Amino acid sequence: NAGVTQTPKFRILKIGQSMTLQCTQDMNHNYMYWYRQDPGMGLKLIYYSVGAGITDKGEVPNGYNVSRSTTEDFPLRLELAAPSQTSVYFCASILVPGRNGLFFGSGTQLSVL
Amino acid sequence: KNEVEQSPQNLTAQEGEFITINCSYSVGISALHWLQQHPGGGIVSLFMLSSGKKKHGRLIATINIQEKHSSLHITASHPRDSAVYICAARNYGGSQGNLIFGKGTKLSVKP
């Protein structure tokens, strides 16, 4: 098993550009999450999904969109990038919340200039 | 005030020392996670516990539900334990997305 695969690892965007962060897991987990990590702050939930075709907003969803067409894939789309979106992004998945551990992708360091 | 508070924020230890990192939370929880974030940035799950104590190698995690407190202990610490340790509480009755993260404890173990 590869676990959670997240790409790219690094990206620099100009203000107003768009991009998609890819996240794929091969563990057949229904629950998937996107977090952002800002310096000195705890991880914040952007969006999550409890299964294919089902997504919901987290704590900081503005400026982002997600889709979940398959169990494996949970891409995060940034539209009209802004400097406030400069952060480190993590994708994660879990088999059963409250019963199992979380699996994280390796992270994407994004700078918007 | 954060719903999940970790202490200390930073911790420097000598190799071989016993280390304790604390996590206090103010919400009712169904589970608590301890995570390790390596200097390179990757995050791995160390423990998920809802009561009592769990042990894995030199790592021990305990939780006291009544006192709303959890601790992560590292015995015989080693420089490779240097990392940021994060606790995250799963809010009881919250949405399936609802994990509340602490800000992390940065541990540095000197040889």
Side-chain angles (χ1 to χ4, degrees):
Chain A
N1 285 353
V4 179
T5 302
Q6 185 180 336
T7 58
K9 288 193 187 302
F10 303 94
R11 185 73 186 266
I12 297 173
L13 286 180
K14 293 183 180 178
I15 294 172
Q17 286 185 321
S18 300
M19 76 164 293
T20 299
L21 281 66
Q22 301 292 344
C23 178
T24 299
Q25 52 88 15
D26 62 356
M27 298 172 284
N28 205 33
H29 289 175
N30 278 326
Y31 298 87
M32 295 187 74
Y33 309 88
W34 275 106
Y35 296 100
R36 59 178 287 172
Q37 185 180 41
D38 299 311
M41 303 296 292
L43 288 153
K44 300 289 186 188
L45 181 66
I46 305 171
Y47 269 96
Y48 69 100
S49 169
V50 302
I54 306 169
T55 62
D56 209 345
K57 294 179 181 179
E59 192 177 352
V60 289
N62 291 344
Y64 307 96
N65 272 302
V66 293
S67 60
R68 187 91 183 273
S69 57
T70 66
T71 299
E72 294 77 21
D73 299 309
F74 190 41
L76 177 72
R77 178 93 178 146
L78 279 73
E79 305 281 1
L80 297 174
S84 61
Q85 293 177 304
T86 294
S87 189
V88 181
Y89 293 83
F90 288 96
C91 177
S93 73
I94 193 168
L95 182 60
V96 179
R99 287 196 184 179
N100 306 107
L102 276 163
F103 288 81
F104 284 83
S106 55
T108 297
Q109 190 168 324
L110 174 67
S111 295
V112 183
L113 306 174
Chain B
K1 187 180 185 301
N2 281 347
E3 291 172 299
V4 175
E5 295 276 357
Q6 287 186 237
S7 62
Q9 278 187 297
N10 295 283
L11 181 56
T12 300
Q14 287 298 127
E15 183 173 356
E17 285 185 358
F18 181 83
I19 287 162
T20 297
I21 298 170
N22 297 297
C23 177
S24 297
Y25 50 91
S26 57
V27 297
I29 69 165
S30 59
L32 187 127
H33 295 260
W34 280 102
L35 312 170
Q36 180 191 53
Q37 185 167 22
H38 299 294
I43 301 174
V44 296
S45 179
L46 298 175
F47 296 102
M48 195 284 299
L49 65 167
S50 53
S51 65
K53 175 179 170 179
K54 286 191 177 180
K55 184 175 189 291
H56 182 71
R58 295 179 295 105
L59 301 178
I60 303 166
T62 64
I63 190 167
N64 185 318
I65 298 294
Q66 286 74 25
E67 294 187 4
K68 295 187 174 178
H69 181 268
S70 177
S71 293
L72 177 68
H73 305 286
I74 305 175
T75 61
S77 60
H78 190 275
R80 64 175 175 265
D81 297 325
S82 297
V84 176
Y85 293 85
I86 301 168
C87 73
R90 183 164 296 281
N91 197 352
Y92 184 80
S95 72
Q96 295 292 351
N98 202 356
L99 264 182
I100 308 166
F101 290 83
K103 294 182 180 180
T105 295
K106 186 175 182 179
L107 171 65
S108 179
V109 182
K110 305 293 185 188

